[in-house]
Amino acid sequence: MSVLSLVVLISGGGSNLRALLEAQADAEFPARIVAVGSDNDAEGLAHAEEFGIPSFTVVPTSFASRAEWGAALLEQIQIFTPDLVVCAGFMRILPPGVVAALSPNLINTHPALLPAFPGAHAVRDALAAGATQTGVTVHVVDEGVDTGPIIFQQAVDVLPGDTEPELHERIKAVERQLLVAAVLDIANNRVDLRELSTK
Ligand code: GRF
């Protein structure tokens, strides 16, 4: 079985990235992170350094347009010729040129049961809506915002009195497992991203 090479994109603490780094510490895990990218000097880059993984940072404000930022990000990603790009807490919408170049070998993890609560404040929005259940979605990134074909979903109950951080931490505990499972199934060809994307 060939080993799937991954580039993981982060913006924050990188606990989902770390879950993948810890999974690949098992020699049997059929995927290897070859680089980590970020849109800022994210705390999560420390996980890449700890595991000896190269990283790159492409800051949007350094570019005159989103398209130029996207082109520079794509150039960095393509240096590593990954089989799959994983957005794991990456808080930027990828410009169409980047999606077109990478999808369907481009997945994202989102802290809600899409299509419910898309966008950057999914946990807050679920609480504000009085949802009694939310969850995690791992999906293919298409040209929309959190709209691509769903790979895996898992529900997480909202508990009375939940604060956003408390609920998000419970969601992230599930998210880390679901993301590792999705990468495993993609690497083992149990999930076919191209087939998913043509349905
Ligand atoms: C995750 O819940 C992700 O779905 C959301 O932001 C969180 C990032 O967490 N977009 P981390 O950086 O992986 O710890």
Side-chain angles (χ1 to χ4, degrees):
M1 163 178 38
S2 65
V3 175
L4 203 70
S5 61
L6 311 178
V7 165
V8 180
L9 300 180
I10 65 168
S11 293
S15 68
N16 281 286
L17 162 66
R18 189 171 186 93
L20 288 169
L21 287 166
E22 289 173 352
Q24 73 174 36
D26 174 348
E28 296 295 305
F29 192 69
R32 284 291 172 275
I33 297 171
V34 293
V36 176
S38 185
D39 61 320
N40 76 96
D41 185 20
E43 279 179 39
L45 293 173
H47 300 312
E49 191 175 343
E50 179 185 335
F51 284 77
I53 310 284
S55 63
F56 55 85
T57 300
V58 186
V59 182
T61 50
S62 304
F63 297 86
S65 71
R66 272 175 46 79
E68 286 174 55
W69 167 72
L73 180 70
L74 180 61
E75 186 181 347
Q76 286 297 314
I77 291 169
Q78 291 179 324
I79 287 171
F80 298 93
T81 62
D83 298 311
L84 179 68
V85 177
V86 181
C87 296
F90 190 63
M91 300 305 282
R92 301 283 173 175
I93 304 301
L94 293 171
V98 180
V99 176
L102 298 176
S103 197
N105 299 307
L106 173 62
I107 67 172
N108 180 47
T109 176
H110 183 78
L113 291 179
L114 293 172
F117 309 117
H121 306 290
V123 178
R124 184 187 71 185
D125 295 347
L127 281 172
T132 55
Q133 193 173 70
T134 183
V136 177
T137 302
V138 179
H139 65 95
V140 177
V141 175
D142 65 8
E143 57 291 331
V145 176
D146 300 327
T147 53
I150 291 170
I151 300 168
F152 285 155
Q153 283 191 305
Q154 188 167 329
V156 174
D157 288 338
V158 180
L159 301 179
D162 256 342
T163 63
E164 182 183 346
E166 287 166 343
L167 176 54
H168 204 164
E169 276 315 306
R170 269 209 321 284
I171 286 172
K172 283 165 77 166
V174 170
E175 189 169 26
R176 294 190 280 266
Q177 293 170 352
L178 211 60
L179 185 60
V180 170
V183 168
L184 182 61
D185 278 11
I186 293 165
N188 290 338
N189 298 309
R190 285 197 289 264
V191 167
D192 181 328
L193 295 176
R194 197 156 302 282
E195 183 189 320
L196 259 182
S197 301
T198 51
K199 275 182 182 168

